[in-house]
């Protein structure tokens, strides 16, 4: 397959982005929306939704699709959960996604910081819905159990790509382990469980459908599909850009397979329309 035209990126609303950024900087916070210059961030801000990244900006893993720097991170900031909760209140956010880098250097892999962040948000703005997009925590059961019991409204973990490509794309992660984490969540969590896949990395459609079935079998009920965009020349190349109609077709197939909620499109990311997916 050869690359075709890249998807067009929406121009952000400068006033809305500026207002949100000022509040985020005041509370010394990092969002995935800003760090990745997400093309959907104005849309999400307008719907009172955003995605915060906790536990620093340095990941202990080196995935070939991700532009986050790799290394040993700093110790978790004790006041980070309260600063996030204050920003959620100031921004009047109705829906928040909390995610993080991988922190294999921490005893609990960072799970306790997720828990404290949910507790802080719920204490300050009880009506705010909180979705956790977690690492795999090396499938540590104590970490997973603490996430399940923390009061989040939805849990997510991204499989990212198909089984064949996973070792090359996510060399320090594991396809089967991600499925096990998702299955553990689905078996024990009362809410819905979500996962996300990137396309354009060199997967075949039958492999993609097989991965989608694996996710369904693990208990995942919500799925997002989006086009992979190469961050730099050092990252895995884009093998193919899919047309918008292809994403619509895959969305229909996902619903036919049994997913309860699906977001699929060239610019869809894991947290795209997170507040409305599944309603």
């Amino acid at each position: 397959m050869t690359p075709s035209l890249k998807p067009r990126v929406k121009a952000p609303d400068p006033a809305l982005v500026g207002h949100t950024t000022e509040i985020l900087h005041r509370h010394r916070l990092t969002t995935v929306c800003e760090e990745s210059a997400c093309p959907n961030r104005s849309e999400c801000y307008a719907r009172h939704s955003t995605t915060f990244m906790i536990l620093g900006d340095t990941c202990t893993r080196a995935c070939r699709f991700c532009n986050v720097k790799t290394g040993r991170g700093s110790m978790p900031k004790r006041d980070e959960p309260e600063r996030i909760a204050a920003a959620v209140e100031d921004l009047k956010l109705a829906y928040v996604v909390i995610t993080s880098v991988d922190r294999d250097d921490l005893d609990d892999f960072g799970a306790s910081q997720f828990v404290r962040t949910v507790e802080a948000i719920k204490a300050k703005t009880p009506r705010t819905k909180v979705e956790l997009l977690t690492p795999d925590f090396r499938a540590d059961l104590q970490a997973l159990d603490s996430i399940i019991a923390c009061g989040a409204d939805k849990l997510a973990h991204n499989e990212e790509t198909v089984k064949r490509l996973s070792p090359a794309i996510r060399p320090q992660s594991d396809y089967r382990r991600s499925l096990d984490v998702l299955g553990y969540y689905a078996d024990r969590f009362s809410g819905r469980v979500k996962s996300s896949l990137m396309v354009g990395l060199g997967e075949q459609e039958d492999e993609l459908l097989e991965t989608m079935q694996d996710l369904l079998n693990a208990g995942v009920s919500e799925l997002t599909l989006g086009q992979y965009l190469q961050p730099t020349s050092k990252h895995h190349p884009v093998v193919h850009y899919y047309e918008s109609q292809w994403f619509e077709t895959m969305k229909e197939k996902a619903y036919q397979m049994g997913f309860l909620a699906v977001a699929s499109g060239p610019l869809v990311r894991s947290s795209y329309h997170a507040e409305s997916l599944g309603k």
Side-chain angles (χ1 to χ4, degrees):
M1 294 184 291
T2 57
S4 58
L5 293 176
K6 291 184 181 181
R8 293 183 179 182
V9 176
K10 305 168 188 174
D13 178 343
L16 183 58
V17 170
H19 169 71
T20 304
T21 301
E22 187 276 324
I23 292 175
L24 295 174
H25 287 177
R26 187 197 315 157
H27 292 289
R28 296 175 288 119
L29 296 172
T30 300
T31 67
V32 174
C33 321
E34 298 300 318
E35 287 294 304
S36 64
C38 178
N40 306 310
R41 66 189 187 278
S42 290
E43 191 180 348
C44 293
Y45 293 163
R47 296 194 312 271
H48 302 285
S49 177
T50 195
T51 300
F52 290 96
M53 188 165 72
I54 63 174
L55 294 167
D57 61 357
T58 304
C59 188
T60 52
R61 303 185 192 179
C63 297
R64 291 195 63 208
F65 65 87
C66 182
N67 201 31
V68 173
K69 62 184 177 182
T70 301
R72 186 180 180 88
S74 58
M75 287 302 295
K77 303 293 191 296
R78 290 294 303 181
D79 66 340
E80 182 178 56
E82 286 70 30
R83 286 189 280 113
I84 289 177
V88 168
E89 183 177 44
D90 287 351
L91 289 167
K92 298 179 174 57
L93 297 179
Y95 198 97
V96 176
V97 180
I98 306 296
T99 190
S100 80
V101 292
D102 284 285
R103 292 300 305 267
D104 297 326
D105 56 326
L106 299 175
D107 289 342
D108 69 346
F109 309 99
S112 59
Q113 193 78 337
F114 276 92
V115 173
R116 286 193 291 269
T117 301
V118 174
E119 291 173 347
I121 294 170
K122 294 292 187 178
K124 190 171 284 287
T125 55
R127 299 174 71 175
T128 300
K129 299 293 185 183
V130 182
E131 175 180 322
L132 299 185
L133 172 56
T134 74
D136 61 23
F137 301 121
R138 293 281 178 185
D140 180 84
L141 297 187
Q142 185 173 348
L144 297 179
D145 285 337
S146 69
I147 294 295
I148 291 167
C150 75
D153 298 282
K154 186 181 294 186
L155 298 182
H157 170 66
N158 291 346
E159 185 64 79
E160 306 292 12
T161 189
V162 300
K163 185 176 183 180
R164 174 177 60 85
L165 296 176
S166 190
I169 301 299
R170 304 193 304 156
Q172 293 156 291
S173 299
D174 182 84
Y175 182 88
R176 182 70 249 177
R177 185 168 67 208
S178 286
L179 287 178
D180 288 344
V181 167
L182 288 163
Y184 196 84
Y185 283 163
D187 286 345
R188 294 160 178 81
F189 180 60
S190 59
R192 289 189 178 182
V193 175
K194 184 173 83 174
S195 192
S196 299
L197 295 169
M198 299 174 292
V199 296
L201 290 160
E203 69 288 329
Q204 300 295 320
E205 189 169 307
D206 61 338
E207 293 179 301
L208 185 60
L209 292 170
E210 180 182 357
T211 294
M212 290 162 62
Q213 188 61 56
D214 284 345
L215 291 172
L216 267 176
N217 292 345
V220 172
S221 59
E222 299 187 2
L223 177 71
T224 68
L225 287 171
Q227 173 70 51
Y228 166 65
L229 299 175
Q230 186 179 6
T232 74
S233 60
K234 297 179 180 179
H235 290 81
H236 192 284
V238 176
V239 177
H240 186 71
Y241 291 106
Y242 291 91
E243 302 292 340
S244 295
Q245 184 53 52
W246 181 89
F247 284 99
E248 286 300 311
T249 300
M250 291 306 298
K251 181 178 181 178
E252 292 174 10
K253 289 184 178 182
Y255 276 121
Q256 290 169 2
M257 291 174 70
F259 286 99
L260 299 180
V262 183
S264 178
L267 295 177
V268 167
R269 299 296 178 259
S270 355
S271 303
Y272 185 70
H273 281 203
E275 80 291 342
S276 59
L277 192 68
K279 284 189 177 180

